[in-house]
Amino acid sequence: MDAVRVALLREVLAGTEWPAAARRFAGALRSSVVPHRGGLLLVGTEEYEPWHLAAHLVDESAWSGLPELAPTLVRHRVRPGAPAHLAVGLGRLEAAGRGATLLMVAPERPGGGLLQRVHDARRAGATVLALDGGDEEVRGLAHETLTVEEGAEVDLDTVQHLVSAAAGENSLPAPRGGRRFRDRLSALADRLTAPPPTRW
């Protein structure tokens, strides 16, 4: 999602908790990875791999001049012959300790021993952050969480866009006005579906 669409999304969500919550979470992410010059591990569940968030964080890392934001995507299943950036398995979590930051994206309760691995990494000194769907055990493991429960105004994918964009920001934008949520959503839909301007 480009900067213009993120700005429109923030305008739609102005007056809700999400822009501020995403900035708070992104601030925790930055304050964890920047002093340690990186060490960001990004992992999802067996059913949900956050490759899209990984790509956005790589972009934000380049645009903001903060290489520390570029994550290592940790995967549950690594295919033989996968390129290096897609070939890091769950065993990488066992090496996570002091100075590492583990960002877990868990729309549902993780299985396959992931929670135990995350718990072990935390005990070894890693900072754990979670974008989650409300599972109590996930929230209990994390130092910082941003929870998107079912029925919220946004979904977890949208929140990931807000977080990645906020992580790369150098300053906070000016606050927006107080139009109703439905009005802002309608205006955004109109802008995104409008035909391009005619040029003569």
Side-chain angles (χ1 to χ4, degrees):
M1 185 175 286
D2 59 37
V4 172
R5 290 187 181 213
V6 170
L8 290 171
L9 180 58
R10 285 178 175 154
E11 185 176 328
V12 167
L13 294 171
T16 72
E17 67 180 298
W18 299 108
R23 284 194 175 99
R24 174 191 54 78
F25 188 84
L29 175 62
R30 276 178 71 143
S31 66
S32 181
V33 298
V34 171
H36 295 106
R37 299 178 187 238
L40 176 57
L41 303 173
L42 176 61
V43 66
T45 64
E46 283 188 285
E47 295 76 25
Y48 185 88
E49 186 170 80
W51 61 268
H52 202 173
L53 177 58
H56 282 295
L57 285 171
V58 167
D59 288 344
E60 291 297 336
S61 165
W63 294 332
S64 65
L66 292 171
E68 301 87 354
L69 289 176
T72 298
L73 180 61
V74 178
R75 308 182 72 197
H76 287 258
R77 290 174 295 279
V78 176
R79 294 184 178 160
H85 69 288
L86 297 176
V88 179
L90 289 175
R92 176 63 181 85
L93 299 182
E94 294 166 12
R98 191 163 308 283
T101 301
L102 175 56
L103 173 53
M104 178 171 47
V105 182
E108 70 285 322
R109 183 182 182 83
L114 178 61
L115 289 177
Q116 184 60 52
R117 290 174 191 260
V118 172
H119 179 263
D120 292 345
R122 178 176 170 142
R123 288 186 61 196
T127 300
V128 178
L129 295 93
L131 289 169
D132 67 277
D135 182 81
E136 289 297 325
E137 195 166 352
V138 170
R139 294 170 72 182
L141 277 176
H143 294 93
E144 189 76 36
T145 62
L146 182 51
T147 300
V148 184
E149 294 183 339
E150 193 171 338
E153 298 102 330
V154 295
D155 60 18
L156 191 61
D157 286 337
T158 300
V159 170
Q160 289 177 69
H161 285 297
L162 293 172
V163 167
S164 61
E169 285 180 337
N170 292 320
S171 63
L172 297 179
R176 298 272 184 181
R179 290 188 297 160
R180 286 186 3 191
F181 176 74
R182 285 181 187 244
D183 294 338
R184 293 189 305 272
L185 187 60
S186 175
L188 175 63
D190 289 345
R191 286 185 203 175
L192 293 178
T193 59
T198 303
R199 293 187 180 167
W200 303 98

